[in-house]
Amino acid sequence: MFPVARAARSLLARGIQQVAVRQAHRKHEPTFHDKYGTMVLLAGASVFTAVWGYVFTQLNVEWGISPVGRITPREWRE
């Protein structure tokens, strides 16, 4: 291996080690996602379910019914 490449690799490894040591000694402060992540996810899921439940019950669509034989064409007016 070339001396320049070896030096660059050792510098990179030393930098990664320093970052790891720095992060290991720092106290972990809970972030927004740590504090409220589950609540936000559950609230979003409940709002999603409520809104789509309302939409599906209020549309009055006959689901899965074929229109064949129910729709008759109108006479063409010229």
Side-chain angles (χ1 to χ4, degrees), residues 1 3-19 22:
M1 191 180 265
V4 175
R6 191 178 306 136
R9 187 184 66 184
S10 68
L11 279 175
L12 178 65
R14 214 175 300 140
I16 291 171
Q17 287 173 346
Q18 287 175 350
V19 168
R22 218 178 298 133

Side-chain angles (χ1 to χ4, degrees), residues 7-66:
R9 187 184 66 184
S10 68
L11 279 175
L12 178 65
R14 214 175 300 140
I16 291 171
Q17 287 173 346
Q18 287 175 350
V19 168
V21 167
R22 218 178 298 133
Q23 289 178 350
H25 288 293
R26 189 184 327 163
K27 281 188 175 179
H28 177 69
E29 301 163 353
T31 62
F32 176 83
H33 297 288
D34 293 334
K35 286 182 182 179
Y36 308 111
T38 306
M39 286 190 296
V40 170
L41 180 68
L42 292 176
S46 64
V47 168
F48 177 87
T49 303
V51 167
W52 282 107
Y54 177 78
V55 167
F56 285 141
T57 57
Q58 299 301 316
L59 276 180
N60 294 329
V61 174
E62 297 178 12
W63 297 99
I65 304 298
S66 174

